[in-house]
């Protein structure tokens, strides 16, 4: 390509790429890619601090199991709100939608306590009146001719009692919606939901009265929208909490969430508009109320909250949404959590305690509790106050002074309970019973009755103490967790479908979204996504600059500069995000820069790298990847010749493979051999060894060239022990599948020493191989395994170089065929950390035997080798030396015998 043409083409490349990238920047797939980079930045960014006031009150499986079903009767939630008011909780936000009316419920306390007591009292009085009438007739105080008048009067009383009891029975049915609305007022700062609908289709019909309530009482106060401000969520219709409950709430926020195209929740609408008024997100509305309903300035790209004491500026993206600064944790690990089960159990325990207290009160036991504030009276008074406050809350605001008194009375009640069960009351009652039992005038049946009462007292106090201790523990937990807490209540049980995805978790309960939104605002640790058009402008400028710089560079230089540009842009953007929380959409510059330098590099590659491509293609069929790389980097290596290096050679061969091959047809044999050689070769290559060649079932390989490793002996030994482990797995599979008629058992020889390595052959055909005496020794050692009954033999040079991490067994000093210099042999057994104590003891015993053998102590050494056989039945080296001892006992070696053994077989 002419230089001027190439020069023009280099500048046409960034122009074409810029046009392509710019035209696709707003398609969903492009946005998804940019979002993924944003998620990566979030993972790198230090975790946002979590505001300690935020508490997720989870309606979890434990709580649901305790109540028995979901959805719950609204009375359960109402009771919980009333209880929470005792512990100075700051705010309660419901991520539960009450958009339709619920059926009438049962007032369980009234049914189980008040109504039975009312029946008892009325019937006691009626029975007493009947008994009095008959007694008067019997005694003659009332003449029979006048009895009719009294009977008529008694009938009237009976009818009156019947009517009153029927009226009381009707009170068992309770409007739980009114009760929950009253509980909202009772708590005082509880927030409901008002869903913003994207169209005018209402899931549940909304009355005009309810819409008016939403329009007049729920909007954010003190909003100042700019003329060009448009909220991200402009709702034509709403689906609010039902009027009965909403009127009791401090306000409401919309729980609508935003899901990006890839299904991940990264941002949220904080403000929505309905009927020309502005509404806050589920936690935004109570946060503004918590700040004293400050001035809220709304403008594109920003929400400014200004109060007398602080100024909060919240950046918004191009669609008017806030980026959520998520904690990088699972739902369970992020923020404080409290199971609603604690509240439910508290309610159940309290019902049981009150039931037992009433029995004890009726029995007179509580009269022995000497205190200025009797526990039963405190309970009854608190109950009266509660009922009055709930009744107030059904129609309007509640008396705050009466509420404070209620909370204080409840506190005194539970303190009194603790005093009752942990004080002297039980002892006083029992003492009095014991005094009566000690009386000599007491009849036997009376004594039995008092003894039964004594046992009943102890049982009653034990049961009451158990329940009281448990409820006081729960109250301490509730006090610790709820005080000053910003509470968000949501359903988190296994049956919920309200689960989403955030940048850190694939499953994150969506109630946690609102906690993350609140935390982002409380911490004022905001993230700001810069305009994609800004990113596009930066990308275009950097792309042309890159093209200008690399046009005169070689392909490698082009890659390095291109990568440097990408790394620089990535690093600068990441730094901006980490330091300022500003995210510059990264995909446009990364794509433009990457495509530009890759395209230009490809052009240069096609022009200047053709020769190297040819070399790779030509030699890839018979040279290893490492050798090809060296030849491509330095073509002079194609010349014949080698160099001396210390390397480790390894030879392998399968025992009796000829016998196995005779039992298989050629196709089966090739299949078996290929599977075996692939597994064994991969083991060598994984440890960066070089395969020299294959000779039938044998593998010849070496470590330390062409890539130099100082630990080549260690790598060779590792490959050998791994091959033996792998052999067991292969044989199990081969025998199960019928691939081989017998196990494949591999013998291995390893030697370390000076060898010649390089290209051997002719200019037309060459091979990268090794040669020399050290290579020959490795080959001989593979065969010597047969004589010693071993599987892996190595020389003393390899044993010394491999290091102490392998368990080895010292054998003879030998002269092998063709090599005169004696060498000590070692059996390579396994890596040290994979052997047991029995094997270590066997090797130590063998070494003692070998020393005795070389000292000509034949009988002593024989005992050692036989001892080894008890540890390792059939041990080849032990049997080998026992056979030699047997021969030496008959025909001792020469007096000048130096312990060197000449091996005559290859």
């Amino acid at each position: 390509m002419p230089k001027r043409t190439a020069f023009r083409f280099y500048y046409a490349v960034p122009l074409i790429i810029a046009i392509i990238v710019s035209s696709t920047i707003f398609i969903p797939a492009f946005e998804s890619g940019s979002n993924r980079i944003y998620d990566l930045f979030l993972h790198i960014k230090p975790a946002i601090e979590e505001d300690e006031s935020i508490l997720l009150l989870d309606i979890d499986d434990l709580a649901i199991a305790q109540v028995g079903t979901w959805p719950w009767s609204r009375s359960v939630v109402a009771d919980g709100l009333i209880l929470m008011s005792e512990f100075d909780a700051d705010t309660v936000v419901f991520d539960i939608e009450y958009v339709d009316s619920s059926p009438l419920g049962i007032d369980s306390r009234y049914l189980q306590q008040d109504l039975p007591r009312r029946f008892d009292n009325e019937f006691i009085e009626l029975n007493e009146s009947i008994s009095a009438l008959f007694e008067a007739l019997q005694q003659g105080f009332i003449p029979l001719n006048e009895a009719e008048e009294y009977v008529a009067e008694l009938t009237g009383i009976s009818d009156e009692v019947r009517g009153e009891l029927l009226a009381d029975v009707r009170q068992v049915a309770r409007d739980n919606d009114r009760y929950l609305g009253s509980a909202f007022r009772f708590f005082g700062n509880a927030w409901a939901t008002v869903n913003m609908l994207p169209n005018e289709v209402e899931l549940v019909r909304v009355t005009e009265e309810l819409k008016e309530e939403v329009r007049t009482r729920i909007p954010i106060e003190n909003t100042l929208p700019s003329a060009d401000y448009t909220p991200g969520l402009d709702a034509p219709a709403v689906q609010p909490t039902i009027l009965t409950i909403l009127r009791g709430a401090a306000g409401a926020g919309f729980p609508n969430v935003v899901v990006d195209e890839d299904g991940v929740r990264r941002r949220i609408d904080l403000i929505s508009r309905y009927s020309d008024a502005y509404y806050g997100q589920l936690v935004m509305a109570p946060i503004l109320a918590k700040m004293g309903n400050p001035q809220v300035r709304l403008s594109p790209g920003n929400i400014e909250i200004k109060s007398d004491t602080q100024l909060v500026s919240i950046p918004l993206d191009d669609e008017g949404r806030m980026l959520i600064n998520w904690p990088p944790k699972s739902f369970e690990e992020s923020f404080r959590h409290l199971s609603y089960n604690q509240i439910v159990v508290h309610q159940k325990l309290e019902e049981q305690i009150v039931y037992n207290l009433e029995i004890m009160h009726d029995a007179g036991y509580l009269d022995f509790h000497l205190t200025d504030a009797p526990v039963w009276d405190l309970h009854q008074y608190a109950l009266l106050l509660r009922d009055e406050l709930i009744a107030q809350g059904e129609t309007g605001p509640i008396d705050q002074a009466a509420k404070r008194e209620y909370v204080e009375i409840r506190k005194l009640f539970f303190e009194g309970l603790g005093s009752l069960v942990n004080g002297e009351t039980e002892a006083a009652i029992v003492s009095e019973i014991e005094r009566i039992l000690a009386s000599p005038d007491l009849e036997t049946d009376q004594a039995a009755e008092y003894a039964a009462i004594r046992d009943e007292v102890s049982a009653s106090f034990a049961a009451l103490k158990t329940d009281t201790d448990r409820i006081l523990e729960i109250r301490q937990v509730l006090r610790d967790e709820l005080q000053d807490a910003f509470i968000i209540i949501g359903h988190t049980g296994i049956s919920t479908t309200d689960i989403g995805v955030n940048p850190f978790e694939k499953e994150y309960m969506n109630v946690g979204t609102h906690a993350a939104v609140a935390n982002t605002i409380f911490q004022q640790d905001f993230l700001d996504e810069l305009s994609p058009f800004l990113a596009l402008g930066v990308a275009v400028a950097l792309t042309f600059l890159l093209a200008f710089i690399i046009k005169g560079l070689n392909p490698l230089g082009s890659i390095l500069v291109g990568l440097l540009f990408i790394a620089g842009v990535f690093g600068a953007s990441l730094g901006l995000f980490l330091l300022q929380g500003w995210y510059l959409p990264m995909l446009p510059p990364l794509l433009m820069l990457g495509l530009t330098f890759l395209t230009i590099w490809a052009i240069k590659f096609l022009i200047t790298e053709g020769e190297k491509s040819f070399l790779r293609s030509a030699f890839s069929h018979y040279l290893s990847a490492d050798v090809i790389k060296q030849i491509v980097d330095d073509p002079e290596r194609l010349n014949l010749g080698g160099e001396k290096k210390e390397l480790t050679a390894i030879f392998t061969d399968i025992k009796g493979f000829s016998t196995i091959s005779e039992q298989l047809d050629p196709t089966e044999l090739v299949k078996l051999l290929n599977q075996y050689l692939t597994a064994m070769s991969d083991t060598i290559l994984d440890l960066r060894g070089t395969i020299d060649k294959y000779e039938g079932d044998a593998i010849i390989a070496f470590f330390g060239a062409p890539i130099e490793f100082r630990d080549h002996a260690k790598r060779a030994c590792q490959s050998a022990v791994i091959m033996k482990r792998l052999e067991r797995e292969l044989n199990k599979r081969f025998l199960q599948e019928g691939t081989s008629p017998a196990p494949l058992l591999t013998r291995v020889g390893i030697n370390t020493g000076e060898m010649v390595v390089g290209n051997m052959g002719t200019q037309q055909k060459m091979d990268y191989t090794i040669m020399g005496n050290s290579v020959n020794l490795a080959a001989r050692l593979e065969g010597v395994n047969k004589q010693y009954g071993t599987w892996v033999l190595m020389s003393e040079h390899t044993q010394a170089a491999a290091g102490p991490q392998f368990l080895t067994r010292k054998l003879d000093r030998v002269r092998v065929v063709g090599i005169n210099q004696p060498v000590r042999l070692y059996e390579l057994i396994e890596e040290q950390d994979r052997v047991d104590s029995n094997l270590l003891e066997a090797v130590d015993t063998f070494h003692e035997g070998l020393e005795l053998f070389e000292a000509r102590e034949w009988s002593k050494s024989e005992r050692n080798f036989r001892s080894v056989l008890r540890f390792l039945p059939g041990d080849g080296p032990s049997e080998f030396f026992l056979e030699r001892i047997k021969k030496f006992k008959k025909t001792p070696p020469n007096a000048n015998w130096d312990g060197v053994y000449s091996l005559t077989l290859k």
Side-chain angles (χ1 to χ4, degrees):
M1 181 182 294
K3 185 174 182 181
R4 181 175 298 179
T5 303
F7 181 83
R8 291 174 180 172
F9 188 79
Y10 288 153
Y11 283 105
V13 168
L15 178 62
I16 294 170
I17 290 174
I19 293 171
I20 294 172
V21 173
S22 300
S23 63
T24 59
I25 189 172
F26 292 112
I27 65 174
F30 197 99
E31 291 183 17
S32 178
S34 185
N35 284 334
R36 294 300 180 190
I37 299 174
Y38 170 77
D39 293 347
L40 174 62
F41 279 20
L42 276 182
H43 281 74
I44 299 172
K45 180 183 178 295
I48 184 174
E49 291 186 19
E50 295 178 13
D51 195 287
E52 282 299 314
S53 69
I54 297 173
L55 174 68
L56 287 162
L57 186 53
D58 299 330
I59 299 178
D60 54 16
D61 291 320
L62 195 59
I64 293 170
Q66 194 73 244
V67 174
T69 184
W70 178 263
W72 285 346
S73 165
R74 290 174 187 177
S75 63
V76 177
V77 180
D79 289 339
L81 267 179
I82 294 168
L83 178 63
M84 283 189 279
S85 66
E86 298 179 35
F87 301 102
D88 297 323
D90 180 86
T91 305
V92 171
V93 180
F94 279 87
D95 186 27
I96 301 173
E97 299 174 9
Y98 298 112
V99 297
D100 51 8
S101 300
S102 66
L104 292 176
I106 300 296
D107 187 340
S108 60
R109 178 179 63 83
Y110 186 79
L111 177 64
Q112 296 171 10
Q113 299 177 25
D114 296 349
L115 191 60
R117 191 180 304 116
R118 177 87 167 111
F119 266 81
D120 288 344
N121 292 338
E122 293 297 340
F123 276 98
I124 287 171
E125 291 182 14
L126 189 60
N127 288 336
E128 287 176 351
S129 298
I130 294 172
S131 297
L133 174 61
F134 277 100
E135 186 176 350
L137 289 170
Q138 186 180 16
Q139 299 293 331
F141 295 135
I142 299 176
L144 285 175
N145 59 352
E146 296 179 9
E148 185 177 352
E149 178 183 345
Y150 287 97
V151 171
E153 184 178 345
L154 190 60
T155 302
I157 293 173
S158 175
D159 291 341
E160 182 180 347
V161 168
R162 182 169 62 86
E164 290 175 356
L165 290 178
L166 283 173
D168 287 344
V169 168
R170 294 189 183 98
Q171 293 182 37
V172 172
R174 177 171 60 191
D175 185 339
N176 281 334
D177 293 338
R178 291 173 64 85
Y179 182 41
L180 181 55
S182 182
F184 267 72
R185 279 200 179 95
F186 191 105
F187 184 84
N189 194 27
W191 294 73
T193 63
V194 53
N195 254 309
M196 297 293 158
L197 301 181
N199 50 56
E200 296 184 3
V201 178
E202 298 170 350
L203 301 178
V204 179
R205 184 178 178 277
V206 181
T207 65
E208 286 302 319
E209 184 182 14
L210 180 53
K211 290 178 182 178
E212 186 60 24
E213 178 78 8
V214 171
R215 284 191 288 262
T216 57
R217 202 170 69 83
I218 305 304
I220 298 173
E221 300 179 21
N222 303 322
T223 54
L224 295 174
S226 64
D228 55 347
Y229 173 75
T230 301
L233 185 56
D234 209 342
V238 291
Q239 192 79 67
T241 298
I242 62 173
L243 187 60
T244 312
I245 299 174
L246 187 60
R247 280 178 172 164
F254 59 89
N256 304 58
V257 295
V258 177
V259 182
D260 287 341
E261 290 287 343
D262 56 0
V264 180
R265 301 185 174 191
R266 298 182 179 87
R267 59 202 85 229
I268 198 83
D269 287 299
L270 293 180
I271 303 294
S272 67
R273 183 166 57 192
Y274 165 68
S275 191
D276 296 326
Y278 294 95
Y279 298 79
Q281 191 268 346
L282 187 64
V283 295
M284 182 69 166
I287 288 174
L288 291 174
K290 186 179 175 71
M291 296 174 66
N293 294 314
Q295 187 181 84
V296 181
R297 293 182 176 273
L298 307 174
S299 59
N302 183 262
I303 296 176
E304 186 179 88
I305 304 171
K306 184 177 182 182
S307 68
D308 295 336
T309 58
Q310 64 182 133
L311 175 65
V312 180
S313 182
I314 304 175
L316 306 176
D317 65 11
D318 283 356
E319 296 183 8
R321 294 161 174 162
M322 182 191 80
L323 289 171
I324 303 172
N325 198 342
W326 291 93
K329 303 175 183 177
S330 67
F331 174 75
E332 292 77 12
E333 294 172 337
S334 54
F335 305 109
R336 292 192 300 127
H337 288 260
L338 179 68
S339 172
Y340 205 97
N341 183 59
Q342 296 278 30
I343 291 173
V344 175
V345 171
H346 184 290
Q347 303 290 70
K348 290 182 178 292
L349 284 172
E350 186 174 351
E351 289 175 5
Q352 183 64 33
I353 287 169
V354 169
Y355 176 77
N356 290 335
L357 276 179
E358 184 174 12
I359 293 173
M360 297 170 77
H361 173 265
D362 293 342
Y365 299 162
L366 299 186
D367 295 339
F368 287 81
H369 185 218
L370 302 178
T371 176
D372 294 335
V375 172
W376 183 252
D377 293 347
L378 287 171
H379 168 70
Q380 293 297 98
Y381 184 46
L383 206 57
L384 177 64
L385 283 175
R386 181 184 186 277
D387 290 343
E388 290 177 354
L389 290 168
I390 290 296
Q392 285 180 16
E394 290 182 354
T395 56
I398 66 170
D399 184 340
Q400 292 300 313
K403 177 184 172 182
R404 287 192 294 273
E405 184 181 7
Y406 167 78
V407 172
E408 183 61 28
I409 294 298
R410 291 278 291 175
K411 179 181 177 183
L412 292 173
F413 168 68
F414 284 102
E415 289 175 355
L417 265 181
S419 171
L420 174 64
V421 299
N422 295 309
E424 302 299 325
T425 305
E426 180 185 357
I429 299 171
V430 172
S431 177
E432 177 63 18
I433 295 173
E434 295 289 354
R435 186 189 65 78
I436 295 172
L437 286 170
S439 172
D441 299 329
L442 196 65
E443 298 290 339
T444 302
D445 56 343
Q446 290 177 317
E449 183 179 346
Y450 275 102
I453 293 173
R454 179 188 57 195
D455 294 341
E456 179 186 305
V457 168
S458 298
S460 297
F461 270 89
L464 184 63
K465 178 173 172 52
T466 299
D467 290 342
T468 299
D469 289 346
R470 178 71 179 118
I471 203 170
L472 291 179
E473 288 177 7
I474 291 175
R475 289 182 70 81
Q476 186 59 51
V477 170
L478 294 177
R479 186 173 293 107
D480 294 341
E481 297 291 342
L482 299 181
Q483 188 170 13
D484 300 323
F486 188 92
I487 302 166
I488 306 172
I489 302 178
H491 175 210
T492 63
I494 195 171
S495 62
T496 185
T497 57
D498 196 20
I499 302 174
V501 179
N502 72 18
F504 296 99
E505 295 291 326
K506 292 182 178 180
E507 289 190 357
Y508 194 92
M509 297 293 179
N510 286 333
V511 64
T513 302
H514 306 298
V517 172
N519 190 60
T520 302
I521 298 173
F522 285 153
Q523 296 295 341
Q524 297 187 41
D525 192 352
F526 299 113
L527 306 174
D528 189 5
E529 185 174 27
L530 302 178
S531 170
F533 294 105
L534 174 62
L536 204 59
V538 170
V540 171
L542 289 176
T543 299
F544 276 92
L545 177 62
L546 174 64
F548 175 76
I549 292 174
I550 67 175
K551 64 180 176 63
L553 300 178
N554 60 33
L556 178 59
S558 301
I559 292 176
L560 293 176
V561 171
L563 292 176
L564 184 64
F565 261 70
I566 289 177
V569 170
F570 189 89
S573 183
L574 179 59
L576 197 64
F577 186 75
L578 296 180
L579 296 175
Q580 296 293 332
W582 297 347
Y583 174 66
L584 178 71
M586 286 295 299
L587 207 52
L590 291 181
L591 275 179
M592 286 190 191
L593 290 172
L595 290 174
T596 296
F597 94 77
L598 285 174
T599 303
I600 293 176
W601 172 85
I603 295 169
K604 289 176 176 288
F605 177 83
L606 292 173
I607 296 173
T608 63
E609 302 298 307
E611 181 180 352
K612 290 184 179 181
S613 177
F614 169 77
L615 292 175
R616 289 190 185 94
S617 176
F619 289 96
S620 63
H621 299 292
Y622 52 91
L623 289 182
S624 70
D626 289 331
V627 177
I628 293 173
K629 181 180 183 304
Q630 291 193 4
I631 291 174
V632 169
D633 292 341
D634 183 9
E636 293 297 319
R637 289 177 177 267
L638 286 175
N639 297 328
L640 295 175
E643 56 183 327
K644 285 186 177 181
K645 281 187 176 183
E646 183 180 281
L647 306 173
T648 298
I650 180 168
F651 283 71
T652 77
D653 192 38
I654 299 175
K655 174 185 176 182
F657 188 72
S658 298
T659 303
I660 294 173
S661 62
E662 289 172 358
Q663 301 177 55
L664 299 172
D665 65 34
T667 303
E668 293 171 335
L669 180 62
V670 169
K671 179 182 177 182
L672 172 64
L673 198 55
N674 283 343
Q675 292 184 49
Y676 169 83
L677 291 176
T678 297
M680 297 303 176
S681 300
D682 286 346
T683 300
I684 294 170
L685 295 174
D686 287 344
L687 288 163
R688 306 302 296 274
T690 300
I691 305 293
D692 186 336
K693 61 178 68 70
Y694 300 102
E695 292 182 355
D697 58 298
I699 302 172
I700 303 171
F702 52 93
F703 289 82
I707 306 300
E708 292 186 7
F709 295 108
R710 297 185 64 181
D711 60 345
H712 49 80
K714 173 184 166 185
R715 290 171 182 267
C717 292
Q718 276 184 313
S719 70
V721 296
I722 292 172
M723 279 191 282
K724 292 303 292 181
R725 290 181 216 147
L726 185 59
E727 176 187 273
R728 291 191 289 271
E729 298 175 13
L730 289 173
N731 282 327
K732 183 178 179 181
R733 177 161 59 87
F734 290 158
L735 295 175
Q736 286 177 346
E737 296 174 354
T739 308
S740 174
L744 304 185
L745 302 176
T746 307
R747 295 190 181 102
V748 183
I750 309 173
N751 183 44
T752 301
E754 192 174 75
M755 309 172 189
V756 176
V757 60
N759 293 303
M760 313 295 175
T762 69
Q763 290 289 353
Q764 284 72 38
K765 182 173 179 59
M766 62 183 69
D767 190 14
Y768 189 78
T769 188
I770 51 174
M771 56 179 49
N773 281 341
S774 294
V775 180
N776 296 337
L777 178 57
R780 297 290 184 268
L781 291 182
E782 181 274 314
V784 171
N785 279 295
K786 303 174 188 176
Q787 300 182 46
Y788 285 92
T790 55
W791 296 109
V792 183
L793 277 180
M794 62 182 179
S795 68
E796 58 187 311
H797 312 302
T798 302
Q799 195 270 346
Q805 80 174 66
F806 299 98
L807 177 63
T808 60
R809 176 158 49 174
K810 183 164 63 172
L811 300 174
D812 279 322
R813 291 175 63 234
V814 302
R815 292 186 183 90
V816 298
V817 177
I819 299 175
N820 294 322
Q821 185 66 32
V823 61
R824 174 74 72 179
L825 303 186
Y826 285 84
E827 179 191 10
L828 174 59
I829 300 175
E830 184 51 277
E831 291 180 281
Q832 290 278 8
D833 58 2
R834 298 178 69 94
V835 297
D836 58 28
S837 57
N838 284 338
L839 183 56
L840 291 172
E841 187 174 349
V843 171
D844 290 341
T845 303
F846 184 91
H847 285 160
E848 291 174 7
L850 183 62
E851 289 179 7
L852 293 168
F853 174 82
E854 292 182 342
R856 298 174 178 255
E857 298 283 350
W858 313 124
S859 297
K860 291 181 180 179
S861 65
E862 181 179 9
R863 285 196 294 273
N864 276 66
F865 293 134
R866 294 197 184 281
S867 179
V868 173
L869 288 173
R870 286 196 292 273
F871 285 104
L872 304 173
D875 179 55
S878 297
E879 292 179 345
F880 175 82
F881 279 99
L882 285 172
E883 184 63 30
R884 285 176 65 185
I885 289 171
K886 181 179 178 181
K887 291 179 181 179
F888 282 170
K889 280 184 175 181
K890 291 180 179 180
T891 309
N894 296 330
N896 62 349
W897 179 62
D898 59 0
V900 176
Y901 185 67
S902 296
L903 298 177
T904 58
L905 300 175
K906 291 186 178 181

